[in-house]
């Protein structure tokens, strides 16, 4: 077989391989030096390709003769992995991953078959049940984290970058369920979208709505919320309403689902396939009149968390939000009515369809000073958090703090890669990536006693030990491509992002000059107090003696989506795309009260999950 034929064979069996390594290995096995591999050489090539001493050690631990795993021995391994250890499942794995005819016929698994299985997606760290919608989608909207984007139209920074429809496409394709539209008066009576009073370019409002209509439900069938920041005159607001109705058609929600008074928001299931408008709504007798509750906004919406403020305090470039509201546009606001935040007691008297937005600093202050009240507020009403107006380079705040307080719409700059967007992707990885993730029970009850600043002994407090052995990595790419001979010196960080007491990070030692198969065998242990809120982030860095370490790849996953046992972690690039074939090989152990936990469902004690105040 020629090199190209070998490469096609690898692709057929779903093995991705670094081009340089594959060619080097091919030349090494081509003993006859004729540019082709014979049967013996092909066997050597495959053996070298799949050679993983650390996997061999696991195989030998379960194999009584060191040559094959019997069905019974494979079932023992699966049981220790917390997986289906039935006879039928073990046989299915042998028939799927074992290529040796004799072994397959006799229902044995060889070392090569075991390696193929361990490298497959079936053995991924991420629970495969969570790759589909697996949560209850019939609870009120306020009970879910909702993937949300800030100033979605911007391609880069907040001051000079281009506005485009492309970021809407990217965000929607990533499962984002709340996008933002900054609307301003345009030429010839047509409203435009841009970051007002900056050098950002303008795009027609109509073009954005046409793009949203095309991509709204490509990645998720659940409701999409359009967060309107309205700076338009009444006439152009009416044009906006007309475009929304004519382009979005029956998908646009224009009236409540029921005539009955609203005690709680409808569910994602009830709103499936619908597009909701979030914005100001006229009260009775206010039609077309000056809107007395209009305020100034530092970054996001007209319902900024506070009273009317001096426009030059946070963002001197922003004028007051339009003080007149078109009845046509007001009529389209059904379940997401933007209002200024007047305190928790006042908000509790309002219908659940009223919601407020908070700058990151305002939200953090509420979490610190009134955490329990904020959690209760967020059990019934929606909160949208947006970045500080000072983040001119489109940097992001830490979303975990906001999720700890039960905030649903934690809006980030999707165009800016980094730790914060890694956490966001990790948070919305489960539930089929549909953009809605059910909050823990203790964040969903109006009398919840959960305080994100003081979690000890309260609801959600389930002391759990997470032990991760970072064993090895495979095929880590070169970072400094300017230096053809540079080889990565990798080290691995494991981070816990959760409530304040759970935040921690620990690292392995570095391995010099080995990106293909570095081996650490380093055990890192973490004590979690509120595991249901925790995210686990794996970061691989290239050690640098003279400057900051270079980022190689990462993977972030909710603790509740982890699987125990020997697992591969498929690393991602900074932009969230696959870094295949780069992987980490790890072992995960979870214990609670000293007892090892084997399955996800038994990790969280149901009786401990919610303790309301008496």
């Amino acid at each position: 077989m020629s090199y190209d034929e070998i490469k096609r064979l690898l692709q057929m069996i779903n093995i991705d391989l670094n081009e340089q390594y594959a060619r080097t290995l091919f030349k090494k096995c081509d003993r006859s030096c004729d540019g082709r591999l014979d049967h013996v050489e092909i066997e050597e090539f495959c053996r070298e390709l799949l050679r993983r001493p650390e996997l061999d050690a696991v195989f030998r631990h379960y194999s009584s003769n060191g040559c094959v795993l019997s069905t019974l021995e494979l079932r023992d391994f699966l049981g220790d992995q917390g997986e289906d250890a039935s006879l039928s499942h073990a046989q299915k794995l042998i028939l799927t991953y074992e290529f040796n005819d004799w072994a397959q016929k006799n229902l044995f698994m060889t070392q090569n078959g075991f390696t193929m299985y361990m490298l497959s997606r079936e053995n991924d760290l991420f629970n495969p049940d969570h790759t589909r919608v697996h949560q209850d989608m019939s609870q009120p909207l306020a009970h879910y984290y909702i993937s949300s984007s800030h100033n979605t139209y911007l391609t880069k920074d907040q001051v000079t970058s281009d506005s485009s429809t492309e970021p809407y496409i990217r965000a929607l394709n990533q499962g984002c369920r709340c996008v933002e539209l900054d609307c301003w008066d345009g030429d010839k009576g047509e409203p435009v979208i841009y970051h007002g009073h900056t050098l950002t370019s303008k795009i027609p409002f109509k073009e954005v709505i046409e793009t949203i209509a095309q991509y709204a439900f490509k990645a998720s069938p659940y409701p999409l919320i359009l967060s309107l920041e309205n700076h338009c005159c009444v006439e152009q607001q009416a044009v906006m309403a007309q475009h929304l109705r004519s382009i979005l058609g029956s998908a646009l929600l224009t009236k409540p689902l029921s005539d009955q008074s609203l005690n709680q928001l409808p569910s994602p299931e009830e709103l499936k396939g619908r597009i909701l408008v979030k914005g100001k709504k006229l009260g009775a007798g206010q039609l077309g009149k000056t809107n007395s509750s209009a305020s100034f906004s530092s970054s996001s919406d007209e319902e900024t968390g506070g009273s009317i403020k001096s426009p030059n305090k946070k963002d001197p470039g922003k004028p007051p939000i339009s003080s007149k509201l078109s009845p046509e546009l007001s009529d389209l606001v059904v379940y997401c009515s933007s209002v200024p935040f007047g305190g928790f007691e006042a908000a509790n008297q309002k219908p659940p369809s009223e919601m407020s937005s908070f700058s990151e600093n305002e939200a953090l202050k509420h979490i610190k000073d009134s955490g329990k009240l904020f959690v209760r507020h967020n059990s019934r009403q929606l909160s949208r958090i947006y970045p500080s107006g000072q983040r001119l380079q489109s940097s992001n705040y830490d979303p975990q703090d906001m999720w700890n307080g039960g905030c649903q719409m934690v809006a980030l700059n999707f165009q800016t890669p980094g730790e914060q967007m890694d956490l966001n992707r990790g948070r919305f990885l489960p539930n089929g990536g549909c953009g809605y993730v059910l909050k823990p029970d203790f964040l969903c009850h109006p009398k919840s006693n959960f305080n994100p600043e003081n979690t000890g002994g309260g609801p959600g407090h389930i002391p759990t030990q997470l032990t991760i052995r970072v064993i090895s990595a495979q095929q880590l790419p070169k970072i400094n491509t300017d230096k053809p001979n540079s080889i990565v010196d990798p080290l691995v960080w494991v981070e816990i992002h959760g409530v304040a007491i759970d935040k921690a990070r620990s690292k392995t030692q570095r391995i010099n000059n080995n990106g293909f198969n570095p081996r650490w065998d380093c055990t890192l242990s973490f004590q979690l107090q509120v595991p249901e809120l925790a995210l686990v982030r794996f970061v691989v860095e290239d050690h640098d003696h003279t400057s900051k370490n270079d980022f190689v790849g990462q993977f972030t996953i909710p603790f509740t989506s982890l699987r125990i046992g020997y697992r591969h972690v498929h690393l991602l690039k900074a932009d969230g795309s696959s870094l295949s074939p780069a992987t980490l090989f790890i072992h995960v152990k979870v214990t609670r009260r000293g007892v090892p936990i084997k399955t996800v469902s038994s990790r969280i004690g149901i009786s401990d999950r919610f303790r309301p105040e008496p």
Side-chain angles (χ1 to χ4, degrees), residues 1-17 37 42-43 45-46 49 99 116:
M1 294 176 79
S2 68
Y3 174 76
D4 286 339
E5 288 170 330
I6 288 279
K7 196 171 177 186
R8 276 196 295 276
L9 173 67
L10 294 178
Q11 288 170 342
M12 281 171 59
I13 57 176
N14 207 26
I15 290 183
D16 195 359
L17 196 60
L37 302 186
I42 289 170
E43 196 172 318
F45 179 89
C46 289
L49 176 69
F99 289 122
M116 293 297 288

Side-chain angles (χ1 to χ4, degrees), residues 243-258:
H243 287 327
L244 287 164
R245 283 185 182 272
S246 62
I247 296 167
L248 301 180
S250 60
L252 181 67
L253 189 79
T254 57
K255 58 184 181 182
L257 299 179
S258 165

Side-chain angles (χ1 to χ4, degrees), residues 566-582:
Y566 292 97
R567 303 291 174 188
H568 279 93
V569 180
H570 296 265
L571 296 172
L572 303 176
K573 297 177 186 174
D575 64 2
S577 60
S578 172
L579 192 64
S580 180

Side-chain angles (χ1 to χ4, degrees), residues 243-310:
H243 287 327
L244 287 164
R245 283 185 182 272
S246 62
I247 296 167
L248 301 180
S250 60
L252 181 67
L253 189 79
T254 57
K255 58 184 181 182
L257 299 179
S258 165
D259 294 333
Q260 297 174 351
S261 62
L262 192 69
N263 294 318
Q264 60 182 27
L265 289 167
S267 69
E269 189 62 39
E270 289 172 307
L271 292 167
K272 224 172 182 179
R274 307 307 294 272
I275 297 176
L276 283 62
V277 173
K278 179 178 93 61
K280 278 284 182 187
K281 191 165 182 68
L282 290 167
Q286 263 192 308
L287 296 180
K289 292 184 182 174
T290 298
N291 187 347
S292 60
S293 60
S295 64
F296 302 103
S297 168
S298 64
S299 170
S300 196
D301 312 68
E302 57 266 47
E303 76 281 15
T304 184
S307 57
I308 294 177
K309 299 176 181 176
S310 165

